[in-house]
Amino acid sequence: MDISDIWKKIHSFLSPQNLIIMLAASAFAPVPFTAILVVTTVVLILTEPEYQKGLFYFKGALLIPAFCCYALIVALFNRNIYGFILAPVFFVIFTIFCFVRKFITSKTFETCLSAVCLMVIPATLYAFIEMFTNKEEGKLVYRCTSYFLNANYFGALMAAAVIICAYKIVSSKGKAFIYYPIALLAVLDIYLSASLFAIVEVVVGIAFYLLLSKHYRLFCLMVVVGSVGIILITSLPELLPRLYEASGTTGYRVRIWGVAIREIMHKPLFGRGFLGYDGVRMQYSGSYETVHCHNLVIDSLLNFGIVGSALLFMMLYYIMIRFVKCFKRDSGSTVLIMIASIMLAAVSHMFTDITFFWIQTGLFYAIILGGTGIEERRLN
């Protein structure tokens, strides 16, 4: 076997469908694996003409490179090193979204969802190891992150996994006996992460899915179970220890928003580039130490100003309008309902945090939203 035969086998293994499946699984894996898969995909896109053809061929697609160039230039002028690095990373994630949208098939997408669910298992094991081995002042770790950047990102991805499990079970797109225990593990992970808004994501996502898919009895059952849960938590708040910190975390966010709004007033037009808050917070005594504003709108205005935010939201508008058109044509599609449920759940979190601001979470949402390519081709 010569080198050309080996290359052909590697090339066959790294087919678009296999790459998409591996990318989806890597979003729930340690960051080095995610980075390797992302870089491999980008290299293949750059070197394979068949991957490039028609990749950005849809209305509003050119806004993606335009926005990334804008973010790069703004960061450069503001000497924002992190922003300068993140602008091309943002472009890479959106390029992968376009790649997924072009090559995704129904079978591949379902395999991606199954792979994501299976990856909950090692993430849970790692979270337990973290909890029992990393002790703080002799106590078990309070908020587990597993192998994600922070507990909120961990919780957000596990919330999405719960919604996917619900979709698999309710739509009969998989063997239910597999997805019940995985959903329970994901719920346990949310508890270990102590991310309160991850709970909100689960409730919003599953409620939306059950209503749109017309499973009204299951929705009513969910309301009953949720009501019992609220009563239990109200009666025994120690079940969710972080509830005691709710007022404190709200106070932190108010301080962050106050600093950000004052800085937006100083540079309202063009902003400072990605992670602009990290560069300005030190100018204010008592400012909360974090890298973003914990609110999508405020963070966008601080980072990119009115001009850049208009570009960003126009880009997102064109992407979402395609999804809405598909949904109007086939409102009974369980795949589209599931995608809408996950994205709506993520948006519900954007008022208090920005959970897609990391390679794992950003990649995951790019793949989920890229799944609309299946319905776009079918309906066209």
Side-chain angles (χ1 to χ4, degrees):
M1 184 181 292
D2 58 20
I3 294 175
S4 61
D5 291 331
I6 294 172
W7 173 246
K8 284 179 182 177
K9 287 195 173 184
I10 294 173
H11 189 269
S12 176
F13 176 72
L14 296 175
S15 66
Q17 283 70 37
N18 286 345
L19 272 175
I20 292 169
I21 293 167
M22 289 188 288
L23 282 167
S26 75
F28 280 66
V31 173
F33 292 98
T34 315
I36 290 168
L37 261 298
V38 168
V39 170
T40 301
T41 304
V42 170
V43 169
L44 285 171
I45 291 172
L46 291 173
T47 56
E48 293 292 336
E50 63 179 286
Y51 292 177
Q52 300 167 18
K53 188 177 179 182
L55 199 64
F56 293 101
Y57 190 69
F58 59 92
K59 191 174 181 181
L62 292 179
L63 288 169
I64 297 173
F67 170 76
C68 293
C69 287
Y70 172 89
L72 195 73
I73 293 168
V74 167
L76 184 63
F77 271 94
N78 284 276
R79 299 179 181 179
N80 179 351
I81 297 173
Y82 293 125
F84 189 78
I85 295 170
L86 276 177
V89 173
F90 188 85
F91 178 70
V92 164
I93 294 297
F94 265 90
T95 300
I96 289 175
F97 157 72
C98 295
F99 175 79
V100 172
R101 176 187 160 275
K102 178 184 176 182
F103 289 104
I104 193 79
T105 64
S106 182
K107 183 179 178 181
T108 301
F109 192 60
E110 291 298 331
T111 305
C112 285
L113 298 178
S114 298
V116 161
C117 290
L118 289 174
M119 289 301 291
V120 169
I121 298 171
T124 306
L125 291 174
Y126 195 94
F128 270 106
I129 292 170
E130 178 188 9
M131 182 176 69
F132 285 107
T133 59
N134 297 336
K135 294 185 178 182
E136 297 173 354
E137 298 178 359
K139 297 180 181 179
L140 298 179
V141 169
Y142 172 49
R143 298 190 68 189
C144 293
T145 61
S146 188
Y147 36 66
F148 302 92
L149 181 66
N150 65 41
N152 286 338
Y153 293 0
F154 179 36
L157 286 176
M158 291 304 118
V162 174
I163 297 169
I164 292 170
C165 286
Y167 157 76
K168 287 282 192 179
I169 293 166
V170 174
S171 65
S172 303
K173 291 287 180 75
K175 296 178 180 178
F177 71 89
I178 296 174
Y179 295 101
Y180 280 116
I182 289 175
L184 288 174
L185 285 179
V187 169
L188 177 61
D189 287 335
I190 292 170
Y191 183 80
L192 292 176
S193 75
S195 176
L196 297 179
F197 247 90
I199 299 171
V200 174
E201 286 191 55
V202 171
V203 173
V204 169
I206 293 181
F208 190 75
Y209 179 80
L210 293 176
L211 281 175
L212 285 189
S213 58
K214 299 179 181 179
H215 288 91
Y216 300 124
R217 289 183 180 178
L218 286 176
F219 175 76
C220 291
L221 178 62
M222 179 184 171
V223 171
V224 171
V225 172
S227 300
V228 172
I230 291 170
I231 292 169
L232 278 174
I233 291 168
T234 305
S235 305
L236 301 167
E238 58 270 18
L239 290 173
L240 281 177
R242 200 155 177 256
L243 278 177
Y244 291 112
E245 299 177 13
S247 60
T249 56
T250 302
Y252 294 149
R253 282 167 170 78
V254 170
R255 280 159 54 192
I256 293 167
W257 297 336
V259 169
I261 290 169
R262 274 181 278 177
E263 284 299 314
I264 290 168
M265 300 302 290
H266 289 166
K267 286 189 177 181
L269 287 179
F270 302 112
R272 292 166 175 76
F274 282 103
L275 303 186
Y277 182 83
D278 190 51
V280 301
R281 63 179 174 80
M282 297 303 292
Q283 301 172 23
Y284 296 86
S285 61
S287 61
Y288 188 71
E289 185 176 349
T290 187
V291 294
H292 59 73
C293 299
H294 287 72
N295 180 284
L296 181 60
V297 175
I298 295 174
D299 200 62
S300 298
L301 288 170
L302 178 67
N303 292 345
F304 315 117
I306 295 170
V307 175
S309 296
L311 264 178
L312 173 63
F313 287 106
M314 197 182 304
M315 178 184 76
L316 295 176
Y317 167 79
Y318 277 116
I319 291 171
M320 295 310 300
I321 203 68
R322 296 179 68 83
F323 175 82
V324 171
K325 285 180 179 178
C326 287
F327 194 78
K328 283 182 177 178
R329 292 180 191 174
D330 188 7
S331 59
S333 168
T334 53
V335 171
L336 288 179
I337 293 171
M338 185 271 298
I339 293 171
S341 301
I342 289 177
M343 298 313 295
L344 184 67
V347 169
S348 72
H349 202 156
M350 299 304 169
F351 293 103
T352 59
D353 202 354
I354 304 177
T355 50
F356 63 79
F357 236 144
W358 186 237
I359 188 170
Q360 293 155 306
T361 49
L363 176 63
F364 171 74
Y365 292 126
I367 291 170
I368 291 297
L369 194 55
T372 56
I374 303 166
E375 297 297 326
E376 286 181 27
R377 289 193 300 276
R378 186 173 69 83
L379 294 174
N380 289 337

